[in-house]
Amino acid sequence: MSDFGPLQELAARASDARGLARIVTRAPYFLPGRKWNLARLLEERAETHPGVLGLAFEDRRYTWPEMDRAVNRRAHALRDQGVNAGDSVVLLMDNRPEFVFNLLACSRLRATPALINTNISGSGLVHALEITKPVKAIIGSEHLDKVREVLPELTSLTAGDLLVDADAGDPAPGDLPSFDGLIELASEAAARSEEPRVEDRACYIYTSGTTGLPKAAIVTNQRILMAGTMFSRGFFEAGPNDVIYVTLPLYHSNGMFAGVASSLITGATMALRRKFSASRFWEDVRRFDATCFIYIGELCRYLLNQPDDPRDGEHRLRVIAGNGLRPDIWERFQQRFQIPMIREFYGATEGTTPVANFAGRPGMVGRLLPGQAVLRCEQDTGELLRDANGLCAKVAAGETGLLVTPINQTSKFDGYLDESASKKKIMEDVLKKGDCYFNTGDLLTLHAYGWLSFADRVGDTFRWKGENVSTNEVAEVLNGAPGVQESNVFGVQIPGADGRAGMAALNVGEDFSLDDFAAYVVEKLPGYQRPYFVRLLEEMQITGTFKHQKVDYRRQGYDPSQVTDPLYFLDGEKFVPVDGALYAGIQSGEVTLR
C-alpha cells in the first residue's frame, strides 16, 4: 500500500466531502415518507429522457419508454394472476432484460421479488423458493430443469404457480404456465398501483450466514435507493451520457444497487451481460462504449491473468467501483488497463452504514465513519473481548479487529425474514450500556487517519469466487454423500487468490468411495461451494458441547508436511492425492483451482 501523508489526507478528505455532497443532492429519493421506488423512477426516466437508451444486452436495445411499456405488460400479467401489493414473487433467471422487466413489474405492483441465486439447486433451492412464502414464481426456462426436480418437495408453490419466462430460442413449456403467453395478452397501458413508499420492501436478496441455508435479507426501497445513490452519484458521478457495464449477477446486491438502481436514478444506460467472461470483457466494454463498471476483486484478478493485449487501454472508462480488490493487484490492474479512478467500498446487503473510499486510495475500503468501531476480538472466532464491566475496547491504528456499525433511527438494520437470524447480528452493550451495533462478521485493519483495509472473514462463513460460503450449508450436503458419516467444512488460503477455498475434513465408513464422492460433489454443489481439498480422519475433533473444532484444521490446511491423514485435491472432477510436488505447485500458482 502506498505511503500516505498529511497532504494526501487533506486531498482525500476533500474527495470524501465531494462524494457525500453528490449523494445528499439526491436525498429526496430516499428520505422517510417519500413516495419512490424503482418502478416510479422508471416512469420518470421514460418521461424525462424519452429518446435515451436505458438498457443494452447482446444485440438488443431498449429506450426508457420501451422499458416502461414492457414493465407495464408484465405488471398487468402478474396482477391478472392474483399478485398484489405485499405479495412475494420468486424470480429465478439469468442476467437478461426480462429479469429487469420482471423485477420492475413487481415494483410497480408493490410486490416483493425474491431474487434467487442461480447457482443453487436441491435442498438449498427448495429452501430459497419457500422461505418468502411466494404466491407466484417467475422461472427462466434456462433454470426450469432443476426446479422441476424439486417441485414434489415444495409446499408453498404448485406447478400452476410457476410462470415460465422463455429464454431466447427456448420453446414454451407444454405442462406449465407460459409467462410469455400471458404477457402477449396484457396491456401496455400504465399499471399503477397505490403510491409507493420508501419504507416498503423492494426485494429479498439471499445471503449466506453461519447457520446453514441461505437467509432472505429484507431490502427496502429506502435501502436500495440510498445504495444506488451512493454508487451512481458518489462513485460513478453518472448521468444520461454514461454507460454502466454490469457483468455481475443481478440477484446480488452489487448488481442490483450499482447496476439497476444506479441506472434508474441517473438515467445512465445499463449494459448487461449474462455471465462474466474474462476473454470477452474488454470487447464488451468497447462495444457498449462503457464509462463505468462494477467489480468484485476476483473479477479484476481474472482480467489481470489474461494475456496482454495492445488494446488493453482502449476504452472510455472513467471510473470503476466495487469491493474486494486486493492491494497486491490494485495498482497493477489500474496501470495496465489505464483506469482513471477506482473507488472501493465495504458493506453488506443487510448491514447498516457502509464504508467508502471516494479518493481511490489503493488497498483501502474507506475511512471509519462516526459511530463505527473496530473492536478487539479473538481473531479465529470473532468473539469480542470484554472487560470486567462487560464492555469492549477499540483497536489502535495498525491493529486488526471486528468491524461493527451502529444501529439507530438513522442507521437501520432491516434484518432477515428469519427473526432469530436477525437477532444474531445485533450486539448490545458494546462500548457503553444500552448501545446497539450490527456485527459485520469481518475483520478489518485500522490505519492512520481512520483508514480501513479488509483483513478476513470470521466464524463459519468464508468468501470464495465472490460468493459467501456457509460451511454448515456445505456440510449438510456433504453429509448426504454415500459413505460420509460426518463432515467439517472450513476455508483455507490459496496464494494469489482472494478469499478462501473450501476444505472438508471427513469421517467416512467402509463403503466410502473417493470417486463416487467426487461425482457427488460436482453434481450437488456449485463451483464456489465445492471442497477443493479433502482430509479423511480417523476421529473428528469436537468441543465439550459437541461443536466441530476448525482452528487446527484451518491452520494445518492442505500441507502434507503437517497432515498425516490421507489428503486429496479436487483436480477438475476427480480427487488426487496431495504430495509435496502438488502442494508446491499450488503454492507457486502453477496448479490452479478450477
Side-chain angles (χ1 to χ4, degrees), residues 73-127:
R73 280 186 174 275
R74 283 168 167 76
H76 280 296
L78 287 173
R79 181 179 285 157
D80 291 343
Q81 290 295 302
V83 176
N84 296 301
D87 288 339
S88 169
V89 177
V90 161
L91 182 53
L92 172 61
M93 61 196 317
D94 287 348
N95 280 13
R96 49 188 176 98
E98 292 78 14
F99 186 111
V100 180
F101 301 156
N102 291 328
L103 171 88
L104 294 174
C106 290
S107 177
R108 186 143 288 172
L109 298 178
R110 295 179 61 217
T112 311
L115 313 181
I116 300 205
N117 187 323
T118 56
N119 291 299
I120 61 174
S121 59
S123 60
L125 179 58
V126 172
H127 174 79

Side-chain angles (χ1 to χ4, degrees), residues 200-486:
D200 289 344
R201 294 178 181 183
C203 62
Y204 299 114
I205 293 180
Y206 292 80
T207 178
S208 294
T210 61
T211 53
L213 294 167
K215 301 187 293 293
I218 299 168
V219 179
T220 63
N221 289 324
Q222 185 174 46
R223 177 175 292 268
I224 202 169
L225 293 173
M226 287 178 67
T229 300
M230 182 182 79
F231 277 103
S232 64
R233 301 296 299 162
F235 288 161
F236 293 146
E237 302 181 60
N241 294 323
D242 282 292
V243 178
I244 303 171
Y245 180 46
V246 181
T247 185
L248 300 178
L250 294 179
Y251 61 74
H252 265 188
S253 53
N254 278 14
M256 282 299 301
F257 299 167
V260 177
S262 284
S263 177
L264 288 165
I265 287 168
T266 61
T269 303
M270 181 170 70
L272 187 63
R273 184 176 179 86
R274 188 180 296 265
K275 292 182 180 179
F276 168 72
S277 168
S279 62
R280 303 293 296 275
F281 186 90
W282 293 108
E283 177 185 328
D284 268 2
V285 166
R286 288 186 283 267
R287 179 161 65 100
F288 290 123
D289 202 22
T291 58
C292 321
F293 75 74
I294 315 155
Y295 68 81
I296 57 172
E298 280 296 302
L299 180 153
C300 297
R301 192 179 296 276
Y302 294 150
L303 292 175
L304 198 58
N305 289 338
Q306 291 290 298
D308 288 347
D309 188 307
R311 302 186 67 194
D312 278 343
E314 293 182 17
H315 53 69
R316 198 166 66 95
L317 290 169
R318 296 185 295 100
V319 57
I320 66 174
N323 63 302
L325 182 54
R326 302 299 292 163
D328 63 314
I329 66 167
W330 183 311
E331 291 175 294
R332 283 193 291 137
F333 181 85
Q334 188 167 16
Q335 291 167 7
R336 172 177 165 183
F337 296 109
Q338 299 178 36
I339 310 295
M341 174 60 75
I342 298 176
R343 287 178 168 141
E344 177 90 355
F345 81 99
Y346 169 87
T349 301
E350 72 280 28
T352 57
T353 50
V355 178
N357 179 358
F358 293 107
R361 182 184 176 189
M364 298 294 165
V365 299
R367 193 198 314 277
L368 200 64
L369 294 175
Q372 297 176 338
V374 182
L375 305 176
R376 299 184 186 279
C377 68
E378 293 287 352
Q379 295 194 12
D380 285 334
T381 64
E383 183 178 354
L384 292 175
L385 301 178
R386 294 181 180 265
D387 62 20
N389 296 317
L391 299 178
C392 304
K394 299 178 182 180
V395 302
E399 296 180 338
T400 298
L402 180 72
L403 177 67
V404 298
T405 59
I407 299 175
N408 51 47
Q409 288 299 312
T410 58
S411 180
K412 295 180 180 179
F413 172 51
D414 298 314
Y416 313 101
L417 281 180
D418 182 347
E419 290 187 13
S420 64
S422 298
K423 291 178 180 177
K424 291 178 182 178
K425 298 295 288 185
I426 299 173
M427 312 174 75
E428 297 177 325
D429 300 333
V430 175
L431 294 172
K432 63 180 181 180
K433 297 297 182 180
D435 63 13
C436 190
Y437 284 84
F438 172 78
N439 180 359
T440 67
D442 287 325
L443 298 172
L444 276 80
T445 301
L446 180 66
H447 301 265
Y449 305 112
W451 285 96
L452 296 169
S453 63
F454 184 83
D456 206 352
R457 299 190 67 84
V458 296
D460 288 337
T461 300
F462 60 92
R463 196 165 179 82
W464 180 246
K465 295 186 181 298
E467 298 273 2
N468 289 339
V469 181
S470 164
T471 57
N472 289 343
E473 181 182 350
V474 175
E476 287 175 7
V477 175
L478 299 186
N479 288 341
V484 173
Q485 297 174 345
E486 188 178 18

Side-chain angles (χ1 to χ4, degrees), residues 2-72:
S2 57
D3 293 335
F4 208 73
L7 291 178
Q8 292 93 334
E9 175 62 12
L10 284 173
R13 288 187 181 273
S15 294
D16 287 350
R18 291 192 295 270
L20 291 172
R22 292 192 297 270
I23 294 171
V24 169
T25 61
R26 293 299 176 113
Y29 282 137
F30 53 77
L31 289 176
R34 298 304 172 98
K35 300 182 183 299
W36 288 98
N37 66 3
L38 295 180
R40 188 180 172 197
L41 281 173
L42 173 62
E43 202 171 86
E44 183 181 76
R45 295 287 80 77
E47 292 174 357
T48 59
H49 300 87
V52 175
L53 193 66
L55 179 62
F57 174 77
E58 297 177 350
D59 296 325
R60 297 155 63 183
R61 302 291 185 271
Y62 300 88
T63 64
W64 291 114
E66 288 170 337
M67 291 178 63
D68 194 50
R69 291 193 292 272
V71 168
N72 281 334

